[in-house]
Amino acid sequence: MAGRFRPVGLVAASTALLLTTACGGASLGTGEDQQSGPVKIGLLVPQSGTYKALGDDMKQGFELYVAQHGGKLGGREVEIVVADEGETADSGKAAAEKLVKQDRVLAVSGVVSSATINGVKDLFETGKVPLVGSNASPTTLTGTKYIWRTSYVNDEPGKALGKHVAERAGGPVFLIAAGYQAGKDEVEGFKSTFLPAGGTIAGEEVYTPFPGTKNFQPYLAQIEKSGAKAVFCFYAGGAAVDFVKQYRDFGLAGKIPLYAPGFLTEGGVLKGQGDAANGILTALNYSADLDNPANKQFAPAYTAAHGTAPTTYAMASWDAAQVLDKAIKAAGSTVTSASVNEAIARVGDIDSPRGTWRFNSGGTPVQPWYLREVKQGANTVSSELGRLGG
Amino acid sequence: MSGWLDGNFVSVVDGVAFGLLLFTIAVGLSLVFGMMDVLNLAHGTLYLAGAYVAYALSDGSMSGLLLALLAGVLVGTMGGAALTFLTQPLARRGHLDQAVLTLGITFIVADLLAASFGGDVLPTDPPTALRGTVGLLGHSYPVYRLVFIAVAAGLALLVYLVFERSSLGALVRATVADRDMVRALGVDVRKVLYGVFASGAALATVGGVLGAPILGPGPGVDETVLVLSLVVVVVGGLGSVRGALAGALLIGQVQTLGVALLPEYAPFLLFGTMLIVLVVRPHGLVASAVRA
């Protein structure tokens, strides 16, 4: 039976492969001094799959900062090693292992998905290599010494919006979100500030099956029936485009104000939504039209290089490079993963395109939040919502 | 109108639209599996290819949509012919081999499509003339979806007439029932085979072209569509146009009206319905006369 599928052979071959990769680079070489030559920084971002667009944003933000500083961080030449996070915790973990054990990088930045960051937590904590993450930040990630995030904690965009919506809605608010962890985090965050401020919820909160929901019509019918005066929703990626377009198609846009965490209208999805997004109000820690010196240095340069306004993902990655820049400089004569991590803890105020922020004791930012409105296909700042993260 | 119907009217109408979309996609899968005994798991990929064709050719004009429809028919016919050619050698080896082969094809094509169109869901707008909403008994409803209902209903009627009421359809059914007898009558059975597969596949890509504004192209959409089509075929009954229509309209309502009434059970409604139908009618709502 030549040519027949032989499962036994396949299993043996793949087991052998797995064993060789697992044993490869078992020695950790991160303690060694990187005094001469360039420092290696790992970028763990999706280069394929669903999150590729997000990964590209982050890579471009990080690389822009390095390019604007003569290819150096903290006065040292930088070699950026990019590893593909892929779509799953497994692919992300494999890429992180490669960066830490094989490439022996000084520090790592990036990470899109919460599943990945949970999966690589031990690798960085026991390997004593700093991870300056610039996106993924689940509420459950706490008590780490080597994992920092320049983005925000997942429930903060909702938290930032709650009080404002309670004051403005003038009646009950309908809550709807994608049915996975991030959606639940955002809704809980929203409720934590919305309810104490006197807000009322229209009916029951609704979690739509994720990623299966493409047709939001039945939920939109529910919103209409509920008599809600405003809607708070959480969607990102393809679902954000579907939701926003159908919200307009079924005649809700302009009738019932739509509030959301900024991802609903951030980056590529906004182009897909076109004029359906006009008038949507979102909370985020950044908007490309902010007026401050750091953003003047960042946003026009980014737009010139990539032909599109920078997103919060690019901005947080630019800041991650800035954090490493300051920390490597502060580490002084002994640049090791451990000394850089200690320097990150002491890095203090960061002068960022989002305004000034600093790390709290949990390794996430204390930072300003903004209310943004979509006007003529772009997010524009309409007011400040206060600082969070302290 | 009573209060209940008034409150759920839009969901019922949208269920019809979604059901007719599912019919256009699933009827080809049902015919190819029910009549030709070929399990084609690349069926969702045909929809996805059609949706990308619509995205690439949509420019806001009606002629752009017509061009996309023509291109969709072409892509579907060629895709169907290619799939027939590839699955032919496996005809006697059973469904598992066919499933593995066609699933492999879906992975390859999905990667090729992602490489050319990127990883984002690409929103495809209907022609400018069909955008906007229309008042429907005091509710707003998208114009395009109403037009889609009319076009898809016409398609469904056409498919029914060809397969169930014409001599061509009779020939197809005869080929399924007794291949040797048809061969003895001097008919080239292979042509019938290619014809059914190609038209079933073309229906799926046309579904993709027409459905792009409702269920836009993006990574993973092929799997979504395949699962929905399989459920429709199983619920409706194999190899029957009427069965596919009944199954599609039922699943369409389950996915819209059902979700509107019982949002907390949304993730379970689809398979729950399938379970109930199979317990009551193991061969589906309309068991095919040929295979029963």
Side-chain angles (χ1 to χ4, degrees):
Chain A
M1 291 297 277
R4 270 301 290 275
F5 180 70
R6 283 208 187 79
V8 179
L10 189 78
V11 170
S14 48
T15 311
L17 263 176
L18 280 171
L19 284 173
T20 50
T21 48
C23 303
S27 62
L28 284 177
T30 48
E32 70 197 57
D33 225 358
Q34 301 201 356
Q35 290 327 302
S36 51
V39 290
K40 271 194 196 176
I41 304 290
L43 260 191
L44 179 55
V45 287
Q47 297 289 284
S48 61
T50 315
Y51 306 115
K52 184 179 183 310
L54 217 64
D56 289 344
D57 265 16
M58 290 157 74
K59 183 165 168 281
Q60 288 162 0
F62 195 94
E63 285 172 344
L64 176 66
Y65 186 93
V66 175
Q68 286 177 324
H69 294 76
K72 293 182 174 173
L73 289 179
R76 300 282 299 270
E77 291 280 335
V78 176
E79 184 192 334
I80 298 176
V81 186
V82 181
D84 183 5
E85 183 188 336
E87 280 186 29
T88 62
D90 286 342
S91 58
K93 202 172 169 184
E97 296 250 356
K98 178 190 163 289
L99 288 174
V100 171
K101 294 179 176 173
Q102 198 177 319
D103 299 316
R104 301 189 175 186
V105 295
L106 177 72
V108 175
S109 181
V111 187
V112 159
S113 109
S114 295
T116 299
I117 209 162
N118 284 334
V120 299
K121 181 177 151 183
D122 293 346
L123 174 72
F124 288 95
E125 289 293 310
T126 56
K128 295 191 163 52
V129 174
L131 166 62
V132 186
S134 56
N135 188 53
S137 186
T139 48
T140 49
L141 186 65
T142 52
T144 56
K145 189 167 176 290
Y146 284 86
I147 298 182
W148 310 83
R149 276 130 309 152
T150 59
S151 46
Y152 36 74
V153 182
N154 261 354
D155 60 356
E156 284 177 341
K159 261 186 195 164
L161 208 45
K163 187 165 168 285
H164 177 84
V165 176
E167 288 162 1
R168 292 295 173 89
V173 177
F174 197 98
L175 310 185
I176 181 166
Y180 63 106
Q181 193 55 49
K184 294 190 168 65
D185 280 352
E186 292 292 356
V187 168
E188 289 309 316
F190 179 78
K191 287 199 311 199
S192 74
T193 54
F194 173 73
L195 295 174
T200 52
I201 297 171
E204 295 268 308
E205 60 211 57
V206 170
Y207 290 103
T208 56
F210 178 84
T213 310
K214 301 278 182 209
N215 188 19
F216 290 96
Q217 180 280 326
Y219 304 105
L220 298 171
Q222 263 197 298
I223 292 172
E224 269 201 302
K225 270 190 286 189
S226 73
K229 293 282 181 242
V231 174
F232 171 83
C233 79
F234 164 80
Y235 289 104
V241 178
D242 289 336
F243 186 83
V244 165
K245 288 186 82 131
Q246 291 173 29
Y247 199 84
R248 194 258 326 256
D249 285 350
F250 285 94
L252 273 66
K255 259 203 305 207
I256 309 175
L258 182 58
Y259 292 92
F263 327 113
L264 187 74
T265 59
E266 189 72 355
V269 291
L270 189 58
K271 281 195 207 69
Q273 291 155 350
D275 53 11
N278 285 338
I280 293 177
L281 297 150
T282 60
L284 205 58
N285 59 348
Y286 179 66
S287 181
D289 66 335
L290 279 172
D291 187 13
N292 64 51
N295 200 34
K296 282 200 172 65
Q297 193 193 347
F298 168 65
Y302 188 95
T303 308
H306 304 293
T308 158
T311 58
T312 188
Y313 319 117
M315 182 277 296
S317 303
W318 194 82
D319 271 1
Q322 185 178 186
V323 166
L324 286 167
D325 185 20
K326 289 189 146 98
I328 291 168
K329 185 179 270 138
S333 57
T334 49
V335 176
T336 64
S337 290
S339 70
V340 167
N341 195 64
E342 274 160 34
I344 293 173
R346 298 189 311 264
V347 85
D349 281 351
I350 299 288
D351 194 9
S352 158
R354 72 187 93 171
T356 309
W357 66 271
R358 57 184 309 146
F359 283 120
N360 60 25
S361 58
T364 60
V366 182
Q367 63 187 331
W369 285 82
Y370 304 96
L371 182 71
R372 318 177 309 165
E373 184 179 349
V374 179
K375 289 180 181 165
Q376 293 156 2
N379 291 299
T380 55
V381 172
S382 64
S383 68
E384 275 208 45
L385 293 167
R387 288 175 82 84
L388 284 181
Chain B
M1 241 183 346
S2 72
W4 185 90
L5 188 63
D6 186 58
N8 295 293
F9 176 68
V10 176
S11 296
V12 174
V13 174
D14 204 54
V16 175
F18 197 55
L20 285 169
L21 176 61
L22 289 178
F23 169 79
T24 312
I25 303 165
V27 69
L29 184 72
S30 180
L31 291 174
V32 169
F33 189 51
M35 295 187 167
M36 299 298 144
D37 208 28
V38 175
L39 177 57
N40 172 28
L41 293 185
H43 202 74
T45 306
L46 292 163
Y47 175 92
L48 187 59
Y52 274 123
V53 164
Y55 169 79
L57 296 176
S58 71
D59 57 356
S61 69
M62 290 301 272
S63 54
L65 178 63
L66 290 176
L67 188 68
L69 279 173
L70 283 176
V73 170
L74 193 70
V75 168
T77 313
M78 286 179 356
L83 282 164
T84 321
F85 177 75
L86 290 166
T87 51
Q88 274 290 287
L90 302 179
R92 300 196 186 286
R93 298 188 49 167
H95 294 150
L96 187 59
D97 289 16
Q98 294 165 358
V100 171
L101 174 76
T102 51
L103 200 60
I105 293 170
T106 65
F107 293 148
I108 294 167
V109 177
D111 279 346
L112 288 173
L113 287 170
S116 17
F117 289 98
D120 287 329
V121 173
L122 299 172
T124 311
D125 286 314
T128 326
L130 305 178
R131 281 177 211 174
T133 57
V134 61
L136 205 63
L137 300 180
H139 302 276
S140 342
Y141 195 73
V143 174
Y144 181 78
R145 291 190 184 210
L146 276 186
V147 174
F148 176 84
I149 288 177
V151 173
L155 264 178
L157 184 67
L158 183 73
V159 173
Y160 174 76
L161 290 176
V162 168
F163 276 95
E164 308 260 338
R165 287 277 177 273
S166 76
S167 55
L168 199 64
L171 178 67
V172 172
R173 289 198 304 278
T175 310
V176 176
D178 192 341
R179 206 168 279 195
D180 293 334
M181 184 50 122
V182 174
R183 208 175 268 124
L185 291 170
V187 176
D188 187 347
V189 170
R190 267 185 332 151
K191 275 191 189 144
V192 178
L193 220 63
Y194 271 85
V196 172
F197 217 138
S199 44
L203 276 164
T205 47
V206 164
V209 172
L210 292 172
I214 299 171
L215 179 57
V221 172
D222 45 357
E223 289 165 47
T224 308
V225 167
L226 176 67
V227 170
L228 283 169
S229 305
L230 286 168
V231 172
V232 164
V233 168
V234 169
V235 166
L238 279 178
S240 134
V241 175
R242 277 180 308 148
L245 185 60
L249 289 174
L250 174 68
I251 296 299
Q253 288 303 337
V254 166
Q255 292 286 76
T256 53
L257 182 63
V259 169
L261 296 176
L262 306 165
E264 59 274 28
Y265 296 110
F268 315 107
L269 283 172
L270 182 67
F271 295 105
T273 307
M274 187 164 95
L275 193 72
I276 292 166
V277 170
L278 286 183
V279 168
V280 180
R281 300 194 58 133
H283 290 287
L285 295 173
V286 183
S288 158
V290 173
R291 304 215 144 254

